[in-house]
Amino acid sequence: QSFCFAVRKGDTALLALLNEGLSIVIADGTYRNLQAKWFSTLKTEGPVSRRIVVGVSLNLPPYSFLNDGGQPEGLFVDMTRAIGRMLAIPITFRSGTWQEIRQGLDSGEIDILQSMFYSDERAKTVAFSLPHTPVQYAVVTRRQDPPLSELADLAEKTVLLLNGDVAEEFIRQQAPDARIRYRDTQQQVLERLAAGEADCAVICKISAH
């Protein structure tokens, strides 16, 4: 069961206002902050005794990457460590390409992926937490080529994409005749685009800078 707000039957305007407010405080992280304030000092029943394996995507700076010492680092890694400390959950990180850690989740070798975009198709096989970090995507071209601003512009273009990226679902919908080529990391996507292997790439915007 879950606690809910309640109004008198028929008071639809007030109910709609409450639902809108709930959506906002959940989406912007306010609810999580309040949970941390009020529950962080309480011990949960049945604490997790086994070590939780968290999959870390390689070459996704500043979100997740391996530092010079070969250890996982980045925003998502620090956030996962903070959650582990708060809930007293022992955590081990396992790094790899997106395809490798996704396969690890499917096989049960990995318990959690810390960076997966929601889609209706993915929701058929995995369960998603509340969203935690908004990410923008961009269609990237070489400087000498004309810019492409919409997914529909990818029609009949050769497009480089991270293997297993959710962006493929949207490209297939809006530019079904696009020719998609896959690479294992976003760094490889940009390097191959610079080498002239495709017309453009669809990539996480902040990683493209």
Side-chain angles (χ1 to χ4, degrees):
Q1 295 289 343
S2 299
F3 282 121
C4 302
F5 286 104
V7 300
R8 287 187 296 274
K9 192 75 171 179
D11 199 347
T12 55
L14 181 56
L15 183 60
L17 190 63
L18 278 169
N19 285 333
E20 180 182 0
L22 278 171
S23 297
I24 292 171
V25 298
I26 290 173
D28 69 4
T30 299
Y31 178 72
R32 290 193 299 276
N33 291 335
L34 292 173
Q35 273 193 318
K37 173 184 176 181
W38 290 102
F39 291 100
S40 60
T41 59
L42 300 178
K43 293 183 178 180
T44 57
E45 294 184 6
V48 177
S49 57
R50 70 180 181 88
R51 189 166 292 274
I52 300 299
V53 180
V54 179
V56 179
S57 182
L58 289 172
N59 295 318
L60 193 62
Y63 304 107
S64 61
F65 58 96
L66 296 185
N67 60 25
D68 293 338
Q71 298 301 311
E73 195 170 323
L75 169 65
F76 293 161
V77 176
D78 287 348
M79 184 167 61
T80 304
R81 287 191 174 117
I83 293 171
R85 287 193 299 270
M86 179 178 293
L87 300 179
I89 298 174
I91 289 174
T92 294
F93 292 102
R94 182 175 299 175
S95 58
T97 65
W98 174 249
Q99 280 293 95
E100 289 170 343
I101 61 174
R102 176 63 195 273
Q103 289 170 1
L105 180 69
D106 293 340
S107 67
E109 297 175 4
I110 290 175
D111 300 300
I112 299 171
L113 293 189
Q114 58 183 10
S115 54
M116 179 182 275
F117 293 119
Y118 176 88
S119 76
D120 292 339
E121 186 63 27
R122 288 177 170 182
K124 295 176 182 177
T125 57
V126 301
F128 287 88
S129 73
L130 294 172
H132 58 76
T133 305
V135 177
Q136 292 182 321
Y137 266 59
V139 179
V140 181
T141 57
R142 291 178 294 276
R143 290 186 182 276
Q144 65 270 25
D145 295 334
L148 303 171
S149 59
E150 298 179 358
L151 291 181
D153 296 336
L154 305 185
E156 300 183 358
K157 297 286 194 302
T158 300
V159 183
L160 284 165
L161 193 65
L162 181 69
N163 198 358
D165 199 308
V166 71
E168 181 176 357
E169 295 181 29
F170 300 100
I171 294 172
R172 296 294 188 193
Q173 292 170 8
Q174 299 191 42
D177 53 355
R179 300 180 294 274
I180 297 178
R181 303 288 182 269
Y182 306 99
R183 294 294 179 268
D184 288 331
T185 68
Q186 296 208 73
Q187 180 178 350
Q188 291 175 4
V189 168
L190 292 174
E191 289 173 348
R192 295 302 88 203
L193 176 64
E197 291 188 4
D199 300 304
C200 62
V202 177
I203 194 170
C204 174
K205 187 175 182 179
I206 196 170
S207 298
H209 282 288

mmCIF file of all heavy atoms in Angstrom, residues 15-36:
data_model
loop_
_atom_site.group_PDB
_atom_site.id
_atom_site.type_symbol
_atom_site.label_atom_id
_atom_site.label_comp_id
_atom_site.label_asym_id
_atom_site.label_seq_id
_atom_site.Cartn_x
_atom_site.Cartn_y
_atom_site.Cartn_z
ATOM 1 N N LEU A 15 -7.914 18.020 -6.724
ATOM 2 C CA LEU A 15 -7.155 16.784 -6.935
ATOM 3 C C LEU A 15 -6.139 16.969 -8.058
ATOM 4 O O LEU A 15 -4.988 16.531 -7.958
ATOM 5 C CB LEU A 15 -8.107 15.637 -7.256
ATOM 6 C CG LEU A 15 -7.452 14.261 -7.423
ATOM 7 C CD1 LEU A 15 -6.722 13.851 -6.150
ATOM 8 C CD2 LEU A 15 -8.504 13.221 -7.800
ATOM 9 N N ALA A 16 -6.546 17.619 -9.144
ATOM 10 C CA ALA A 16 -5.634 17.866 -10.256
ATOM 11 C C ALA A 16 -4.471 18.739 -9.811
ATOM 12 O O ALA A 16 -3.321 18.531 -10.216
ATOM 13 C CB ALA A 16 -6.384 18.527 -11.413
ATOM 14 N N LEU A 17 -4.749 19.727 -8.952
ATOM 15 C CA LEU A 17 -3.698 20.608 -8.450
ATOM 16 C C LEU A 17 -2.703 19.826 -7.596
ATOM 17 O O LEU A 17 -1.479 19.986 -7.720
ATOM 18 C CB LEU A 17 -4.329 21.747 -7.643
ATOM 19 C CG LEU A 17 -3.410 22.895 -7.230
ATOM 20 C CD1 LEU A 17 -2.878 23.616 -8.459
ATOM 21 C CD2 LEU A 17 -4.157 23.869 -6.333
ATOM 22 N N LEU A 18 -3.224 18.949 -6.737
ATOM 23 C CA LEU A 18 -2.354 18.122 -5.910
ATOM 24 C C LEU A 18 -1.476 17.209 -6.767
ATOM 25 O O LEU A 18 -0.275 17.064 -6.520
ATOM 26 C CB LEU A 18 -3.196 17.278 -4.951
ATOM 27 C CG LEU A 18 -3.680 17.955 -3.670
ATOM 28 C CD1 LEU A 18 -4.707 17.079 -2.980
ATOM 29 C CD2 LEU A 18 -2.517 18.244 -2.738
ATOM 30 N N ASN A 19 -2.075 16.576 -7.766
ATOM 31 C CA ASN A 19 -1.311 15.673 -8.631
ATOM 32 C C ASN A 19 -0.210 16.416 -9.380
ATOM 33 O O ASN A 19 0.896 15.903 -9.562
ATOM 34 C CB ASN A 19 -2.243 14.973 -9.619
ATOM 35 C CG ASN A 19 -3.054 13.874 -8.957
ATOM 36 O OD1 ASN A 19 -2.619 13.289 -7.962
ATOM 37 N ND2 ASN A 19 -4.220 13.581 -9.498
ATOM 38 N N GLU A 20 -0.523 17.634 -9.815
ATOM 39 C CA GLU A 20 0.495 18.437 -10.495
ATOM 40 C C GLU A 20 1.649 18.748 -9.544
ATOM 41 O O GLU A 20 2.828 18.630 -9.904
ATOM 42 C CB GLU A 20 -0.118 19.733 -11.010
ATOM 43 C CG GLU A 20 0.883 20.631 -11.728
ATOM 44 C CD GLU A 20 0.275 21.947 -12.187
ATOM 45 O OE1 GLU A 20 -0.931 22.166 -11.951
ATOM 46 O OE2 GLU A 20 1.019 22.770 -12.759
ATOM 47 N N GLY A 21 1.307 19.136 -8.306
ATOM 48 C CA GLY A 21 2.350 19.433 -7.330
ATOM 49 C C GLY A 21 3.202 18.219 -7.008
ATOM 50 O O GLY A 21 4.437 18.311 -6.901
ATOM 51 N N LEU A 22 2.566 17.055 -6.859
ATOM 52 C CA LEU A 22 3.317 15.828 -6.598
ATOM 53 C C LEU A 22 4.278 15.507 -7.732
ATOM 54 O O LEU A 22 5.427 15.121 -7.510
ATOM 55 C CB LEU A 22 2.344 14.665 -6.391
ATOM 56 C CG LEU A 22 1.727 14.511 -5.001
ATOM 57 C CD1 LEU A 22 0.637 13.460 -5.029
ATOM 58 C CD2 LEU A 22 2.790 14.152 -3.978
ATOM 59 N N SER A 23 3.805 15.662 -8.952
ATOM 60 C CA SER A 23 4.656 15.383 -10.115
ATOM 61 C C SER A 23 5.891 16.277 -10.110
ATOM 62 O O SER A 23 7.004 15.836 -10.420
ATOM 63 C CB SER A 23 3.862 15.592 -11.406
ATOM 64 O OG SER A 23 2.773 14.688 -11.486
ATOM 65 N N ILE A 24 5.695 17.539 -9.751
ATOM 66 C CA ILE A 24 6.805 18.493 -9.757
ATOM 67 C C ILE A 24 7.831 18.138 -8.680
ATOM 68 O O ILE A 24 9.031 18.078 -8.950
ATOM 69 C CB ILE A 24 6.284 19.932 -9.560
ATOM 70 C CG1 ILE A 24 5.475 20.375 -10.789
ATOM 71 C CG2 ILE A 24 7.444 20.899 -9.312
ATOM 72 C CD1 ILE A 24 4.751 21.688 -10.599
ATOM 73 N N VAL A 25 7.375 17.886 -7.446
ATOM 74 C CA VAL A 25 8.340 17.639 -6.375
ATOM 75 C C VAL A 25 9.036 16.290 -6.539
ATOM 76 O O VAL A 25 10.151 16.098 -6.045
ATOM 77 C CB VAL A 25 7.681 17.735 -4.978
ATOM 78 C CG1 VAL A 25 7.121 19.123 -4.740
ATOM 79 C CG2 VAL A 25 6.608 16.676 -4.786
ATOM 80 N N ILE A 26 8.413 15.348 -7.225
ATOM 81 C CA ILE A 26 9.085 14.083 -7.514
ATOM 82 C C ILE A 26 10.105 14.264 -8.624
ATOM 83 O O ILE A 26 11.245 13.802 -8.535
ATOM 84 C CB ILE A 26 8.054 12.998 -7.890
ATOM 85 C CG1 ILE A 26 7.236 12.594 -6.652
ATOM 86 C CG2 ILE A 26 8.744 11.766 -8.474
ATOM 87 C CD1 ILE A 26 6.085 11.656 -6.955
ATOM 88 N N ALA A 27 9.720 14.988 -9.678
ATOM 89 C CA ALA A 27 10.597 15.149 -10.837
ATOM 90 C C ALA A 27 11.823 15.992 -10.523
ATOM 91 O O ALA A 27 12.916 15.731 -11.047
ATOM 92 C CB ALA A 27 9.820 15.761 -12.003
ATOM 93 N N ASP A 28 11.694 17.024 -9.677
ATOM 94 C CA ASP A 28 12.838 17.923 -9.446
ATOM 95 C C ASP A 28 13.721 17.487 -8.276
ATOM 96 O O ASP A 28 14.659 18.184 -7.900
ATOM 97 C CB ASP A 28 12.370 19.367 -9.240
ATOM 98 C CG ASP A 28 11.618 19.594 -7.926
ATOM 99 O OD1 ASP A 28 11.516 18.656 -7.123
ATOM 100 O OD2 ASP A 28 11.140 20.727 -7.727
ATOM 101 N N GLY A 29 13.435 16.338 -7.673
ATOM 102 C CA GLY A 29 14.293 15.809 -6.621
ATOM 103 C C GLY A 29 13.915 16.231 -5.207
ATOM 104 O O GLY A 29 14.518 15.758 -4.239
ATOM 105 N N THR A 30 12.913 17.123 -5.067
ATOM 106 C CA THR A 30 12.518 17.579 -3.730
ATOM 107 C C THR A 30 12.077 16.411 -2.853
ATOM 108 O O THR A 30 12.435 16.329 -1.674
ATOM 109 C CB THR A 30 11.381 18.609 -3.836
ATOM 110 O OG1 THR A 30 11.833 19.738 -4.586
ATOM 111 C CG2 THR A 30 10.933 19.073 -2.455
ATOM 112 N N TYR A 31 11.300 15.481 -3.416
ATOM 113 C CA TYR A 31 10.805 14.346 -2.641
ATOM 114 C C TYR A 31 11.958 13.495 -2.111
ATOM 115 O O TYR A 31 11.962 13.088 -0.946
ATOM 116 C CB TYR A 31 9.873 13.502 -3.505
ATOM 117 C CG TYR A 31 9.338 12.272 -2.812
ATOM 118 C CD1 TYR A 31 8.390 12.377 -1.806
ATOM 119 C CD2 TYR A 31 9.791 11.004 -3.150
ATOM 120 C CE1 TYR A 31 7.903 11.252 -1.160
ATOM 121 C CE2 TYR A 31 9.317 9.874 -2.518
ATOM 122 C CZ TYR A 31 8.365 10.005 -1.523
ATOM 123 O OH TYR A 31 7.897 8.886 -0.884
ATOM 124 N N ARG A 32 12.970 13.251 -2.952
ATOM 125 C CA ARG A 32 14.110 12.451 -2.511
ATOM 126 C C ARG A 32 14.865 13.153 -1.385
ATOM 127 O O ARG A 32 15.324 12.514 -0.436
ATOM 128 C CB ARG A 32 15.045 12.163 -3.687
ATOM 129 C CG ARG A 32 14.473 11.200 -4.708
ATOM 130 C CD ARG A 32 15.538 10.717 -5.674
ATOM 131 N NE ARG A 32 16.124 11.814 -6.415
ATOM 132 C CZ ARG A 32 15.588 12.328 -7.513
ATOM 133 N NH1 ARG A 32 14.455 11.833 -7.983
ATOM 134 N NH2 ARG A 32 16.178 13.308 -8.160
ATOM 135 N N ASN A 33 15.012 14.481 -1.489
ATOM 136 C CA ASN A 33 15.702 15.225 -0.439
ATOM 137 C C ASN A 33 14.942 15.148 0.888
ATOM 138 O O ASN A 33 15.539 15.019 1.961
ATOM 139 C CB ASN A 33 15.870 16.688 -0.856
ATOM 140 C CG ASN A 33 16.844 16.847 -2.002
ATOM 141 O OD1 ASN A 33 17.720 16.007 -2.204
ATOM 142 N ND2 ASN A 33 16.706 17.922 -2.763
ATOM 143 N N LEU A 34 13.616 15.229 0.816
ATOM 144 C CA LEU A 34 12.814 15.142 2.032
ATOM 145 C C LEU A 34 12.880 13.740 2.639
ATOM 146 O O LEU A 34 12.922 13.582 3.865
ATOM 147 C CB LEU A 34 11.364 15.523 1.737
ATOM 148 C CG LEU A 34 11.131 17.000 1.383
ATOM 149 C CD1 LEU A 34 9.688 17.221 0.939
ATOM 150 C CD2 LEU A 34 11.471 17.888 2.566
ATOM 151 N N GLN A 35 12.882 12.729 1.785
ATOM 152 C CA GLN A 35 13.041 11.365 2.294
ATOM 153 C C GLN A 35 14.356 11.209 3.035
ATOM 154 O O GLN A 35 14.422 10.605 4.102
ATOM 155 C CB GLN A 35 12.983 10.366 1.136
ATOM 156 C CG GLN A 35 11.594 9.906 0.770
ATOM 157 C CD GLN A 35 11.639 8.707 -0.151
ATOM 158 O OE1 GLN A 35 12.442 8.658 -1.077
ATOM 159 N NE2 GLN A 35 10.787 7.742 0.087
ATOM 160 N N ALA A 36 15.425 11.757 2.446
ATOM 161 C CA ALA A 36 16.740 11.664 3.080
ATOM 162 C C ALA A 36 16.737 12.368 4.429
ATOM 163 O O ALA A 36 17.318 11.886 5.410
ATOM 164 C CB ALA A 36 17.800 12.270 2.168
#
